[in-house]
Amino acid sequence: MDSNGQSASIRLPLLLDLAWGFGLAALLCLATGWLTSPPVLFYGLSAILYLIVCGFVVRAWPSGRDFGWANRATLLRGSLVIVLVALAPFAGHLSDGLWLYGWMALLALILDGVDGKVARATGSQSDFGARFDMELDALFILGLSIAVLALGKAGPWVLALGLMRYAFIAASHFQTWLNAPLPDSFRRKTVCVWQIVTLLVAVLPPVNTLFAAATLATALALLVWSFFLDIRWLYQRRHPHDVQ
C-alpha cells in the first residue's frame, strides 16, 4: 500500500478518469434519448451537468494523486445520476418510460453503497470521497424532486427536499460557523435514504398523488428536523468570531 492508502491501483491522470466518465454518461444519454423530444435539450443539459461535476472534482482533488477505485465507483454512479437529473424535467412526457426511469433510479440507489465498500476494502477513505458521494446524493435528490413536480405528484414544495442542502451551503458563506465539520450520523444517512426512496416511489406510474404527497411530506418533515439538529449542534459549538 502506498502513502495515499491505495493498493493495486491503476494510476491514471485525473482527466482520463473524467473522460471515461463522460463517455459512460454519453452512452447512457444515447440509450435513453428516445424518451425525450427533442432529445437535444436532454443531451445539452446532461453535458452541462457533467461539466459542473468535473469542475467540482478538478477544483477539490489534490494534484499528483491517483483518483482511486472508490472515487471511480462514485463517478460511475455519478454518470447515471447526471442522466437521471437531466431526464427529470421531461418526466411528465415519459409515459411508459417512467418504469425505465424508476429502474435506473433504483440502480443509482443500490450503487450508493458500493464506493464506501471499495474505499474500506482498499483503505482509501478520504474527505474528498465522502464529499463527492454526498454532493451526488444531493444532486440525485434534487433531480428526483424535479421529476415528481413534473409529474404533478406534488406541488412546488417538493423542491424543498432537493434545495435544502444547497440553501445550507449558501447560508454557510454568510455564517462561517456552519462550515464546521459534523460528526458521522446514522440519523442523517437514514433521512437521506428515506428521501430518495419516497421520491423514487412517487415517480412510479401506479402511485397516486395522495400517497405520494403524504410520504413526501413525512420525508420533508424528517429532513427539516435533521437539519435543525445539525444546525443547533453547530451553533452551540461556534466561536464568537465566527458569527457575522
Side-chain angles (χ1 to χ4, degrees):
M1 185 176 296
D2 63 22
S3 60
N4 291 328
Q6 305 285 345
S7 61
S9 178
I10 296 175
R11 295 191 173 278
L12 297 172
L14 177 60
L15 292 181
L16 283 182
D17 276 306
L18 296 178
W20 73 253
F22 179 81
L24 177 59
L27 288 174
L28 289 171
C29 285
L30 291 174
T32 56
W34 60 273
L35 294 173
T36 64
S37 181
V40 65
L41 296 177
F42 163 58
Y43 296 151
L45 182 56
S46 298
I48 291 171
L49 287 172
Y50 193 83
L51 289 175
I52 292 173
V53 170
C54 286
F56 165 76
V57 171
V58 170
R59 180 181 178 183
W61 187 249
S63 61
R65 289 185 58 185
D66 177 55
F67 202 48
W69 289 113
N71 289 316
R72 287 175 188 133
T74 306
L75 184 61
L76 185 150
R77 180 172 69 94
S79 298
L80 178 58
V81 167
I82 284 168
V83 172
L84 288 168
V85 175
L87 277 173
F90 307 99
H93 305 286
L94 296 184
S95 59
D96 292 339
L98 273 177
W99 284 109
L100 175 59
Y101 188 91
W103 281 112
M104 291 171 62
L106 178 60
L107 177 59
L109 177 59
I110 294 172
L111 290 174
D112 190 17
V114 172
D115 46 9
K117 291 181 179 179
V118 173
R120 289 188 291 272
T122 58
S124 57
Q125 299 97 323
S126 67
D127 292 339
F128 171 87
R131 178 70 182 274
F132 191 17
D133 184 64
M134 181 175 60
E135 296 302 340
L136 279 180
D137 285 342
L139 182 61
F140 187 27
I141 292 170
L142 178 59
L144 288 175
S145 300
I146 294 171
V148 170
L149 178 61
L151 289 166
K153 296 288 186 75
W157 59 267
V158 75
L159 295 179
L161 286 169
L163 293 175
M164 200 169 298
R165 162 69 182 164
Y166 298 104
F168 179 84
I169 293 174
S172 68
H173 288 286
F174 301 97
Q175 297 295 333
T176 56
W177 52 271
L178 291 172
N179 289 309
L182 287 162
D184 288 337
S185 167
F186 178 75
R187 175 256 307 164
R188 197 180 306 120
K189 294 175 182 177
T190 302
V191 170
C192 178
V193 172
W194 180 246
Q195 281 180 269
I196 296 174
V197 170
T198 54
L199 286 164
L200 195 160
V201 170
V203 166
L204 300 178
V207 177
N208 61 47
T209 302
L210 180 61
F211 181 83
T215 54
L216 291 170
T218 64
L220 181 58
L222 287 172
L223 182 63
V224 171
W225 167 70
S226 182
F227 265 100
F228 169 76
L229 292 181
D230 284 341
I231 292 172
R232 185 180 67 177
W233 188 92
L234 291 169
Y235 183 79
Q236 290 173 342
R237 288 157 180 80
R238 75 196 186 283
H239 296 292
H241 66 270
D242 289 333
V243 180
Q244 298 178 357

